[in-house]
């Protein structure tokens, strides 16, 4: 199993790879979605031990050393790293890649014989730029398998060549299952060679139902855990029940009564005004009466 824990890579001016934690198992294809070619290539390099992370770890099994990871892994088709150059022929590419295998085997110095044995006779002298994406990827995967120490294969952006997933996804599945790289001379009794296969892609195919992950997922997980939990309702206001309906109706009645308060105030104000008016009229009557009574008292005194 290939595992990463909080794998993080800093660039000169920005973060190349945010913290990423993934697990890739033998015999299955893991597709990791990453935005931007820089990020995809950085992740592919880190997963194969060819770029030292700024933080976090990468391990294959119990081995977390970069040297052990490099020895047991292969990176495929990384732009500006090891993607085949268009000016090469198929025979030249095979000659270069076979020469890098760290041990001797029969066809190591015989690229033509190796190509014929693995079913590439028809494209021996073709230019790399003339190959269909499926054929070119197949060739690169077969060349990677020439190294018998390889247990992990990481393919960088296989979807950048074509939008047709059938051009690359079945090849990755065959690689993981161990049915690729057996050659025409291999018989049915030869044991399979299942591998850990990772495809770093710009977009997860809609039809893919296998293992998936996303670059920077450790940050997303941390953000999810740091969010405050939703507030609970101890009174069970969210429950659907008859009691809740009655409570709701009671609240509506309260709201209706409350809405009537301004009208009641207005009536009280009008009533208060009327009372005040009546009191004023009584005072005026009393004053008038007092005024009318004053002359009669003077007349009595004169008399």
């Amino acid at each position: 199993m290939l595992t990463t824990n909080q794998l993080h890579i800093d660039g000169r001016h920005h973060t190349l790879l945010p913290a990423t934690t993934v697990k890739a198992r033998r015999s299955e294809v893991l597709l990791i979605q990453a935005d931007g070619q820089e990020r995809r290539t950085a992740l592919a390099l880190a997963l194969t031990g060819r770029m030292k992370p700024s933080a976090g770890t990468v391990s294959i099994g119990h081995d977390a050393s970069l040297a052990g990871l490099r020895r047991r892994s292969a990176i495929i088709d990384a732009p500006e790293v090891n993607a085949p150059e268009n000016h090469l022929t198929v025979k030249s590419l095979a000659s270069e890649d076979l020469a890098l295998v760290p041990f001797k085997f029969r066809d190591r110095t015989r690229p033509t014989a190796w190509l014929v044995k693995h079913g590439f006779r028809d494209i021996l002298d073709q230019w790399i730029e003339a190959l269909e994406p499926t054929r070119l990827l197949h060739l690169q995967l077969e060349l990677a398998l020439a190294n018998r120490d390889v247990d992990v294969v990481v393919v960088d952006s296989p979807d950048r060549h074509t939008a047709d997933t059938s051009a690359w996804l079945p090849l990755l599945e065959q690689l993981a299952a161990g049915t690729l790289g057996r050659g025409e001379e291999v018989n049915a009794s030869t044991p399979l060679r299942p591998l850990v296969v990772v495809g770093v892609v710009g977009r997860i195919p809609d039809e893919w139902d296998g293992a998936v992950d996303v670059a920077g997922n450790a940050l997303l997980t941390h953000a999810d855990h740091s969010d405050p939990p939703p507030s609970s309702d101890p009174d069970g206001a969210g429950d659907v029940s008859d009691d809740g309906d009655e409570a709701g109706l009671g609240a509506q009645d309260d709201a209706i009564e409350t809405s009537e308060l301004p009208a009641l105030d207005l009536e009280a104000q009008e009533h208060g005004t009327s009372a005040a008016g009546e009191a004023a009229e009584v005072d005026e009557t009393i004053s008038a009466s007092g005024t009318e009574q004053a002359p009669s008292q003077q007349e009595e005194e004169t008399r």
Side-chain angles (χ1 to χ4, degrees):
M1 180 186 293
L2 176 71
T3 60
T4 72
N5 183 30
Q6 298 286 333
L7 181 66
H8 176 89
I9 300 175
D10 289 325
R12 292 182 60 187
H13 304 294
H14 59 276
T15 299
L16 281 178
L17 178 67
T20 302
T21 299
V22 299
K23 290 183 179 180
R25 295 172 174 82
R26 191 179 297 275
S27 301
E28 75 173 17
V29 178
L30 170 64
L31 297 184
I32 305 178
Q33 189 275 328
D35 295 329
Q37 189 59 61
E38 267 191 351
R39 179 163 297 175
R40 290 193 288 272
T41 299
L43 177 57
L45 289 169
L47 291 176
T48 56
R50 288 159 175 81
M51 177 176 282
K52 184 177 180 180
S54 304
T57 60
V58 188
S59 60
I60 178 170
H62 298 290
D63 187 1
S65 66
L66 292 181
L69 187 58
R70 282 195 300 271
R71 181 176 60 83
R72 299 176 60 185
S73 66
I75 183 172
I76 304 296
D77 202 25
E80 300 184 12
V81 178
N82 70 340
E85 298 179 2
N86 289 332
H87 66 272
L88 293 176
T89 63
V90 170
K91 188 185 298 183
S92 298
L93 175 63
S95 179
E96 288 185 1
D97 283 13
L98 292 174
L100 296 175
V101 176
F103 54 85
K104 295 180 179 181
F105 61 99
R106 182 177 179 182
D107 294 329
R108 186 170 184 263
T109 58
R110 301 194 307 165
T112 300
W114 184 93
L115 288 166
V116 170
K117 183 185 296 185
H118 288 81
F120 298 104
R121 182 193 298 270
D122 58 320
I123 59 171
L124 277 174
D125 297 316
Q126 288 192 24
W127 297 99
I128 292 299
E129 63 181 355
L131 298 182
E132 293 294 326
T134 304
R135 199 77 164 129
L136 179 57
L137 178 60
H138 186 191
L139 174 60
Q140 293 178 85
L141 294 177
E142 293 271 10
L143 286 168
L145 291 176
N147 182 352
R148 61 173 177 262
D149 288 338
V150 167
D151 289 321
V152 176
V153 175
V154 179
V155 184
D156 185 358
S157 310
D159 55 344
R160 75 180 189 273
H161 298 294
T162 174
D164 183 10
T165 56
S166 65
W168 55 271
L169 196 49
L171 286 172
L172 268 58
E173 292 178 305
Q174 293 174 39
L175 182 66
T179 58
L180 198 70
R182 294 166 64 82
E184 296 178 349
E185 298 177 0
V186 175
N187 55 46
S189 63
T190 305
L192 299 178
R193 184 186 173 185
L195 302 176
V196 177
V197 178
V198 178
V200 186
V201 297
R203 180 178 177 275
I204 302 296
D206 295 333
E207 67 274 16
W208 176 247
D209 59 357
V212 297
D213 227 315
V214 59
N217 60 2
L219 288 179
L220 297 175
T221 304
H222 177 72
D224 291 340
H225 288 318
S226 63
D227 289 340
S231 60
S232 60
D233 187 355
D235 296 331
D239 298 336
V240 179
S241 64
D242 294 339
D243 295 340
D245 293 341
E246 292 177 0
L249 291 174
Q252 291 179 359
D253 293 341
D254 293 342
I256 293 172
E257 291 174 1
T258 304
S259 66
E260 293 174 353
L261 289 178
L264 296 176
D265 291 343
L266 180 59
E267 293 177 1
Q269 290 175 0
E270 292 176 352
H271 178 71
T273 304
S274 302
E278 293 176 359
E281 290 178 359
V282 172
D283 291 342
E284 289 177 359
T285 304
I286 294 172
S287 300
S289 300
T291 305
E292 291 176 355
Q293 291 175 359
S296 60
Q297 292 179 354
Q298 291 179 357
E299 288 176 358
E300 289 178 359
E301 291 176 357
T302 305
R303 291 176 186 175

